[in-house]
Amino acid sequence: MLIRLSYCRVGTTCLEGATLAGHLRVPAMRICLLLAIVGLVSAASVANAADKTIHDQDIGFSLTFPEGWFNERSSDEALRLTIKPDNQGLTCMVSSSLYNPFAPGSPSDPRKFIEGWSMDTWKTMMGKSFSTADFSNDRLARFPDGYPVRVADLDYTVSYETVSLHGHSRIAFSIRGARYGYVNCSLIAGSAEEVAQRWAPLADKVERVVNSFVLDPP
């Protein structure tokens, strides 16, 4: 079974040109949580390996991930890079793009916007993409130069025709200078219990990946 779902429901801020039905259109920025679901395979622990850091100057971000994980570029304007371990059911998706602070709907002070983020902000900007969405562990992190980034967990369900699936994500999002972007590491399965079981052996590696996400400085 191969299901590919793309969501973009971003409250008051969403890049002009979103094409899926029901998307909001405001020429500021787009947050798209793209979930690539390839079957429902059993989880196994990834072997320990040295981490690999990539810096993509064209897209404007840096990310560190385990050496044994696969990475590939995307031509999609919103989703720029996917990283995943082999046969684990986990996909880390990276998006980065130019940010127009003068576009309608853009925060007047992006730094304060990220620092003043709340659970309600997560729900408004990303929660409506899913059938159900429960955010937790929201925290304020910092890039190396002290610029703020927002991090949280998300437990969600998505429905596709007669199929209802459960998932868990770890997300980091920020706006920094002329760029905005996020990394979203997501795992999806047939039940919440299966998601938790398959997530556990990957949790430490996911945490390292998400915490390593850095947008290029202005």
Side-chain angles (χ1 to χ4, degrees), residues 42-130:
S42 60
S45 179
V46 178
N48 291 331
D51 287 347
K52 175 182 178 182
T53 298
I54 59 172
H55 175 217
D56 195 310
Q57 293 180 327
D58 293 334
I59 300 174
F61 73 92
S62 297
L63 195 75
T64 299
F65 56 93
E67 182 71 31
W69 290 22
F70 302 96
N71 67 92
E72 59 184 24
R73 291 285 296 269
S74 171
S75 59
D76 188 281
E77 291 184 359
L79 176 66
R80 298 304 184 92
L81 179 72
T82 60
I83 300 170
K84 53 190 173 182
D86 188 22
N87 295 327
Q88 304 300 306
L90 175 79
T91 301
C92 294
M93 299 151 283
V94 181
S95 177
S96 177
S97 189
L98 294 177
Y99 168 70
N100 180 3
F102 303 106
S106 297
S108 58
D109 188 333
R111 184 167 187 148
K112 288 184 178 179
F113 177 67
I114 297 298
E115 290 176 338
W117 194 284
S118 67
M119 285 295 187
D120 286 340
T121 311
W122 284 114
K123 294 175 182 177
T124 300
M125 295 190 69
M126 298 182 181
K128 294 179 180 178
S129 298
F130 305 94

Side-chain angles (χ1 to χ4, degrees), residues 12-213:
T12 59
T13 51
C14 189
L15 180 69
E16 184 177 32
T19 58
L20 293 187
H23 291 177
L24 300 178
R25 295 168 179 266
V26 177
M29 61 183 175
R30 176 171 63 176
I31 301 174
C32 288
L33 302 186
L34 183 72
L35 308 177
I37 308 160
V38 187
L40 297 175
V41 297
S42 60
S45 179
V46 178
N48 291 331
D51 287 347
K52 175 182 178 182
T53 298
I54 59 172
H55 175 217
D56 195 310
Q57 293 180 327
D58 293 334
I59 300 174
F61 73 92
S62 297
L63 195 75
T64 299
F65 56 93
E67 182 71 31
W69 290 22
F70 302 96
N71 67 92
E72 59 184 24
R73 291 285 296 269
S74 171
S75 59
D76 188 281
E77 291 184 359
L79 176 66
R80 298 304 184 92
L81 179 72
T82 60
I83 300 170
K84 53 190 173 182
D86 188 22
N87 295 327
Q88 304 300 306
L90 175 79
T91 301
C92 294
M93 299 151 283
V94 181
S95 177
S96 177
S97 189
L98 294 177
Y99 168 70
N100 180 3
F102 303 106
S106 297
S108 58
D109 188 333
R111 184 167 187 148
K112 288 184 178 179
F113 177 67
I114 297 298
E115 290 176 338
W117 194 284
S118 67
M119 285 295 187
D120 286 340
T121 311
W122 284 114
K123 294 175 182 177
T124 300
M125 295 190 69
M126 298 182 181
K128 294 179 180 178
S129 298
F130 305 94
S131 301
T132 64
D134 296 312
F135 292 91
S136 60
N137 301 321
D138 168 71
R139 67 181 179 88
L140 182 66
R142 300 283 176 177
F143 287 140
D145 64 354
Y147 203 85
V149 56
R150 213 71 211 191
V151 184
D153 288 298
L154 167 63
D155 291 294
Y156 61 88
T157 60
V158 292
S159 298
Y160 180 77
E161 295 180 349
T162 60
V163 178
S164 182
L165 298 173
H166 297 256
H168 182 81
S169 287
R170 184 73 168 159
I171 307 168
F173 170 77
S174 190
I175 310 168
R176 189 185 194 195
R179 292 200 169 273
Y180 72 93
Y182 67 84
V183 57
N184 172 33
C185 291
S186 186
L187 190 152
I188 198 162
S191 67
E193 291 76 14
E194 184 180 0
V195 170
Q197 181 180 13
R198 295 168 60 185
W199 183 271
L202 298 169
D204 289 344
K205 294 180 175 64
V206 169
E207 188 72 11
R208 294 206 306 270
V209 171
V210 171
N211 289 345
S212 74
F213 174 66

